[in-house]
Amino acid sequence: MTRRPDFPGEMEIDAYLNDQLDLPGRIAVEEALARNPALAARVMDDLRIRDALRAALAHPPEAPDSRTALAARRLQRGLSMGHLGRGLRRGALVAACIGLGWLVHWQVDSVGVSPTEAAALPPRFTAEAMQAHRTSLLRAVMASQLEAPQFDRDEILRNTAIALPEFPEDWSVLDVQVYPSVAGPSVAVVFRMPDSGPLSLYLVHTGHEQPLPLRMLRREDRSVAYWRRDGLGAALIGQNDDAALQQAAAVMMGRIAARAN
């Protein structure tokens, strides 16, 4: 099949954002995004906004205003059924999020979460980390895309201002890549622990955002351990059970902090 020069176009991107592509279609779009950092950053930001909106609509208030509830249901149906259409652009989605901002705050207060912890709607970098993880696994099965297990920490530090940690001796590094993100360059390291499948550690700058303790979430069939400290966001992704992933994340947290100091 011959792809159009403008692939992926808005139609494919909208279908990707609305989970309307089959697996080969998703892989084709992700492969194209891996070659277009600017477009990939835009799509990852759209994914973050989409996920935040879906999270806000997942548990509606018990007795919301009837007109607002109707608008929220219509918007949710539009997201799930693709009724927003190709004409939906990022600005419209942002406006929808702003318009429903009160709903997010109500939900935060109703479950006893402080505004500071509201960022615990998983931060943007977790979606970027998942995108990098999928792309790294895709590279691993492509003969033309060679993994880079050997890497220069000093060169990565000079060019990204990200200090990679030392990995335990019995952990095997399989690939190290720099990926685009909304906040600038990020680094993803794919590795194995003894008796584990491939995992990836994703590191990206988060500026002056508040520290975030280690937390867990599920994305697709993967577990994600994530945290934020010293201006870096970190996500550890794998199919290991949550306890094993948390232990590995605790090791990485200590080594990243030691490396930063």
Side-chain angles (χ1 to χ4, degrees), residues 2-257:
T2 302
R3 272 186 210 146
R4 307 191 314 266
D6 62 342
F7 182 88
E10 292 299 329
M11 181 181 297
E12 290 84 8
I13 290 174
D14 286 343
Y16 181 80
L17 291 172
N18 288 315
D19 299 324
Q20 294 174 332
L21 296 179
D22 57 14
L23 183 58
R26 290 187 66 84
I27 290 175
V29 170
E30 288 166 359
E31 182 182 0
L33 292 176
R35 297 193 298 267
N36 189 333
L39 181 59
R42 195 203 90 185
V43 171
M44 284 189 284
D45 203 33
D46 287 346
L47 283 170
R48 174 184 64 85
I49 295 169
R50 182 205 68 180
D51 290 346
L53 181 57
R54 285 180 174 176
L57 295 174
H59 304 289
E62 293 179 6
D65 175 83
S66 59
R67 289 176 300 174
T68 307
L70 178 60
R73 285 195 296 271
R74 284 176 176 170
L75 182 56
Q76 188 173 31
R77 283 200 301 271
L79 283 172
S80 61
M81 299 173 63
H83 288 169
L84 295 181
R86 294 194 302 271
L88 175 62
R89 293 297 179 264
R90 183 168 176 266
L93 187 53
V94 171
C97 288
I98 294 172
L100 290 172
W102 72 271
L103 180 60
V104 178
H105 289 301
W106 189 96
Q107 290 172 316
V108 166
D109 293 339
S110 70
V111 295
V113 180
S114 71
T116 300
E117 293 173 324
L121 282 174
R124 175 181 62 218
F125 69 79
T126 60
E128 296 173 345
M130 195 68 209
Q131 180 76 14
H133 179 75
R134 287 197 300 258
T135 303
S136 294
L137 296 184
L138 177 64
R139 285 171 44 81
V141 299
M142 296 176 63
S144 63
Q145 299 294 306
L146 301 180
E147 292 88 353
Q150 305 299 325
F151 60 96
D152 187 327
R153 279 188 175 80
D154 292 334
E155 182 183 43
I156 291 174
L157 178 61
R158 284 197 307 273
N159 288 279
T160 69
I162 294 175
L164 292 182
E166 296 286 346
F167 287 81
E169 291 183 0
D170 57 347
W171 294 15
S172 303
V173 174
L174 307 177
D175 191 22
V176 180
Q177 296 294 329
V178 175
Y179 287 104
S181 81
V182 173
S186 62
V187 182
V189 182
V190 181
F191 64 94
R192 288 182 187 272
M193 299 187 301
D195 303 319
S196 83
L199 300 94
S200 63
L201 174 68
Y202 180 84
L203 298 172
V204 67
H205 292 287
T206 56
H208 299 291
E209 294 183 46
Q210 291 293 320
L212 188 66
L214 177 63
R215 291 180 174 163
M216 300 290 297
L217 63 84
R218 291 287 296 181
R219 283 190 181 272
E220 302 167 6
D221 61 340
R222 308 282 164 167
S223 292
V224 183
Y226 64 95
W227 65 95
R228 185 171 56 223
R229 62 162 60 170
D230 299 326
L232 277 182
L236 186 62
I237 303 174
Q239 288 182 304
N240 295 50
D241 64 87
D242 287 356
L245 199 68
Q246 283 181 304
Q247 290 178 356
V251 172
M252 286 291 91
M253 287 180 73
R255 292 182 177 236
I256 291 171

